[in-house]
């Protein structure tokens, strides 16, 4: 069941990210749904789920981007793994704490990205922070918080998490 | 109420640390050849994922079509008037171009450049855009099974759109001319000075390495030079809007307004002809003997 959910997420997220999100981008920047999903899977499912889902989702998304597949997979895998580690330390996580966490992690990953992708000379760190990293971190945090809040308020997420991780 | 419980065991921490180190080392040390294998492994996955991608793109197009037919018709009358004016202008230009075309054809056949002037074109539809925010790309619905390969040039009848950087069996990723990581050999049509067209972070393009003595000015058209890359000579890239001439600089540069608005492009043509040489072939890259 878990594998089916993960496959459905990969199959569904790629077209949503590539076809639909460009229409709802803010300041020319769209949220990274893959990042949000990998973070939530890491938090709820643990390090291994976060790592594997991050590797696969990052790779699948890179097939429809100019980004090289290896760095994309590694970055999302590392994010999922770290989210899993963080989730293991926290017994109770409120949506507000999650939003702040996503904002910080997305910002940090965004800061690493320009170096990892070997972008052109024009795309320096200052440009990256103000035009991509910061807006994307805000969008990721808001969307991740909203999804978690929906799960938190509509589903008994704490019981779900405890059952899911056993 | 927020509770934090540090309950990870020593072993879990050690495992986590070891995995993190492996990830970082792998990320830093993996050689380029392995990365290309990694990319090739994506072909079947890319093929499978292209089905939902094309399905969503199809639904999206239908909704956009409905919107265009029934909701966005306000202002069509004014647009129609403008288009008629443009049509008159274009008819006049078309007459002039036909003359120029006839002359070009004679010269092309004379110089045996006919193949280069008439490359094989594959029509494709734009079905999506880059899944990230770092590159300006579009995804088209034709891929390696249609004969498309990285470095093939992508155009519309108006001008250059970009070049293919990645393919799956049924899709291809096109790096746009407005992406700062793109570089296309360009030529100022009036002065015949050559340079390199790169994208800018503002979503426009610029022509770099123009000789200092060039008399290029605003309004000059820039076309492909055909020297390197998957484009034949003479395809429109953009129009110069501003010349930057810094003191003690070795070259001039110019800001360009691209001929094609990459944000609105819906259908494209891929230049597939083998007659159009790629960069490797052009610079005489060594070929392996069978």
């Amino acid at each position: 069941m878990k594998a089916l959910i993960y496959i459905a997420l990969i199959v569904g997220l790629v077209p949503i990210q590539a076809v639909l999100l460009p229409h709802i981008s803010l300041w020319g920047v769209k949220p990274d749904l893959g990042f949000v999903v990998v973070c939530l899977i890491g938090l709820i499912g643990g390090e291994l789920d976060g790592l594997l889902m991050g590797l696969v989702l990052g790779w699948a998304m890179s097939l429809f981007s100019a980004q090289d597949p290896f760095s994309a997979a590694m970055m999302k895998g590392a994010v999922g793994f770290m989210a899993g580690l963080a989730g293991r330390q926290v017994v109770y996580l409120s949506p507000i704490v999650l939003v702040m966490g996503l904002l910080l992690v997305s910002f940090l990953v965004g800061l690493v990205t320009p170096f990892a992708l070997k972008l052109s000379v024009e795309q320096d760190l200052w440009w990256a922070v103000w035009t991509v990293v910061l807006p994307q971190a805000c969008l990721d945090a808001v969307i991740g918080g909203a999804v978690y809040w929906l799960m938190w308020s509509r589903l008994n997420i704490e019981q779900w998490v405890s059952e899911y991780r056993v | 109420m927020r509770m934090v419980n540090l309950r990870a065991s020593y072993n879990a921490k050690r495992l986590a640390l070891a995995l993190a180190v492996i990830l970082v080392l792998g990320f830093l040390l993996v050689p380029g050849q392995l990365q290309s294998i990694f990319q090739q492994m994506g072909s079947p996955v890319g093929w499978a994922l292209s089905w939902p991608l094309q399905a969503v793109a199809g639904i999206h197009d239908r909704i956009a079509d409905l919107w265009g037919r029934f909701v966005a018709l306000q202002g069509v009358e004014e647009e129609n008037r403008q288009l008629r004016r443009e049509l008159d202008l274009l008819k006049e230009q078309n007459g002039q171009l036909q003359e120029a075309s006839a002359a070009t054809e004679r010269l092309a056949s004379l110089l045996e450049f006919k193949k280069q002037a008439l490359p094989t074109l594959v029509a494709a539809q734009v079905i999506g855009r880059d899944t990230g925010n770092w590159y300006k790309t579009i995804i088209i619905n034709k891929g390696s099974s249609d004969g498309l390969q990285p470095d093939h040039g992508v155009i519309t009848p108006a001008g250059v759109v970009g070049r293919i950087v990645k393919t799956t069996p049924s899709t291809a990723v096109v790096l746009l001319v407005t992406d700062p990581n793109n570089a296309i050999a360009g030529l100022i049509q009036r002065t015949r000075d050559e340079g390199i067209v790169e994208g800018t972070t503002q979503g426009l393009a610029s022509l770099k390495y123009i000789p200092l003595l060039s008399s290029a000015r605003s309004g000059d058209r820039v076309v492909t030079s055909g020297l390197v890359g998957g484009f034949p000579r003479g395809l429109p890239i953009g129009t110069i809007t501003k010349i930057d001439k810094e003191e003690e600089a070795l070259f001039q540069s110019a800001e360009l307004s691209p001929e094609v608005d990459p944000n609105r492009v819906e259908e494209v043509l891929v230049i597939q002809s083998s007659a159009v040489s790629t960069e490797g072939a052009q610079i005489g890259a060594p070929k392996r003997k069978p």
Side-chain angles (χ1 to χ4, degrees):
Chain A
M1 182 64 185
K2 198 158 69 167
L4 277 178
I5 292 172
Y6 287 170
I7 290 168
L9 275 174
I10 292 166
V11 170
L13 274 177
V14 171
I16 289 172
Q17 185 77 33
V19 181
L20 301 181
L21 281 191
H23 294 286
I24 56 163
S25 62
L26 293 172
W27 314 293
V29 174
K30 51 186 183 276
D32 186 350
L33 287 188
F35 169 83
V36 173
V37 165
V38 165
C39 277
L40 291 176
I41 285 174
L43 281 170
I44 296 168
E47 295 98 320
L48 192 62
D49 283 23
L51 175 67
L52 292 177
M53 187 65 177
L55 288 171
V56 176
L57 194 55
W59 179 49
M61 281 192 163
S62 78
L63 295 172
F64 302 96
S65 160
Q67 193 175 356
D68 90 282
F70 194 78
S71 62
M74 281 298 146
M75 250 187 274
K76 287 237 167 35
V79 165
F81 183 71
M82 296 300 169
L85 278 183
R88 203 168 277 285
Q89 313 299 319
V90 180
V91 174
Y92 172 80
L93 185 70
S94 73
I96 292 169
V97 173
L98 180 90
V99 165
M100 299 310 288
L102 280 176
L103 186 71
L104 184 69
V105 177
S106 177
F107 186 78
L108 292 175
V109 171
L111 283 183
V112 174
T113 310
F115 301 105
L117 298 186
K118 293 172 192 158
L119 297 171
S120 75
V121 184
E122 273 192 37
Q123 294 168 304
D124 59 9
L125 193 63
W126 187 249
W127 170 85
V129 167
W130 289 109
T131 59
V132 180
V133 177
L134 201 56
Q136 189 184 315
C138 294
L139 289 170
D140 288 350
V142 168
I143 287 181
V147 172
Y148 187 76
W149 179 79
L150 276 174
M151 288 159 66
W152 185 63
S153 58
R154 303 283 166 197
L155 308 164
N156 189 359
I157 194 165
E158 281 164 42
Q159 190 192 339
W160 193 37
V161 169
S162 59
E163 284 171 7
Y164 201 69
R165 281 207 179 162
V166 173
Chain B
M1 189 180 83
R2 287 170 204 160
M3 285 166 60
V4 173
N5 178 20
L6 296 170
R7 55 179 179 166
S9 68
Y10 181 63
N11 278 343
K13 277 187 180 174
R14 268 208 321 202
L15 179 69
L17 189 65
L19 273 170
V21 169
I22 290 167
L23 276 177
V24 173
L25 282 179
F27 178 52
L28 293 174
L29 300 178
V30 73
Q33 290 91 337
L34 274 183
Q35 293 199 24
S36 67
I37 292 169
F38 207 62
Q39 169 65 29
Q40 281 172 1
M41 278 162 54
S43 273
V45 178
W47 179 80
L49 287 176
S50 67
W51 285 97
L53 183 70
Q54 297 204 23
V56 173
I59 294 167
H60 167 262
D61 282 352
R62 278 184 197 167
I63 293 170
D65 189 39
L66 278 176
W67 179 271
R69 278 188 194 177
F70 301 111
V71 185
L73 283 176
Q74 293 161 3
V76 163
E77 195 185 337
E78 176 56 31
E79 194 184 343
N80 199 19
R81 241 179 270 137
Q82 269 188 352
L83 288 173
R84 281 179 192 282
R85 279 197 292 269
E86 277 178 34
L87 184 67
D88 291 339
L89 187 71
L90 289 172
K91 274 181 182 168
E92 187 190 325
Q93 283 182 348
N94 191 34
Q96 292 170 355
L97 286 173
Q98 273 178 347
E99 283 300 309
S101 167
T104 306
E105 210 169 311
R106 283 195 304 274
L107 284 169
S109 83
L110 189 67
L111 296 169
E112 295 181 351
F113 280 153
K114 198 166 183 178
K115 264 188 184 173
Q116 191 178 347
L118 297 168
T120 308
L121 298 174
V122 177
Q125 219 175 355
V126 177
I127 56 169
R129 290 180 185 274
D130 201 290
T131 51
N133 287 312
W134 295 100
Y135 295 99
K136 291 188 178 75
T137 67
I138 52 175
I139 305 166
I140 56 174
N141 68 345
K142 295 278 168 70
S144 55
S145 58
D146 303 288
L148 308 193
Q149 286 170 11
D151 267 354
H152 279 171
V154 179
I155 58 169
T156 68
V160 172
V161 175
R163 64 191 170 86
I164 291 177
V165 289
K166 203 178 272 186
T167 55
T168 70
S170 50
T171 60
V173 177
V174 181
L175 191 68
L176 297 173
V177 70
T178 50
D179 188 294
N181 301 285
N182 212 342
I184 295 166
L187 175 79
I188 301 171
Q189 211 169 23
R190 185 178 61 82
T191 65
R192 316 307 291 172
D193 292 312
E194 288 172 355
I196 301 290
V197 177
E198 292 177 3
T200 67
T201 50
Q202 289 84 34
L204 296 170
S206 65
L207 181 67
K208 293 186 174 172
Y209 313 114
I210 308 170
L212 266 184
L213 296 175
S214 168
S215 61
R217 58 175 185 239
S218 294
D220 279 348
R221 286 186 97 196
V222 176
V223 296
T224 51
S225 74
L227 284 180
V228 287
F231 299 99
R233 182 183 278 257
L235 294 171
I237 301 177
T239 307
I240 293 178
T241 53
K242 190 184 163 192
I243 297 279
D244 291 323
K245 198 173 186 177
E246 286 176 25
E247 276 184 35
E248 295 178 14
L250 292 174
F251 297 99
Q252 302 181 66
S253 61
E255 285 179 15
L256 294 184
S257 168
E259 214 67 38
V260 179
D261 180 359
N263 296 318
R264 289 171 187 271
V265 67
E266 289 175 24
E267 284 96 20
V268 294
L269 298 165
V270 182
I271 302 169
Q272 201 195 5
S273 174
S274 57
V276 180
S277 52
T278 59
E279 191 173 356
Q282 193 76 32
I283 61 174
K287 285 172 188 168
R288 270 189 203 162
K289 287 176 184 173

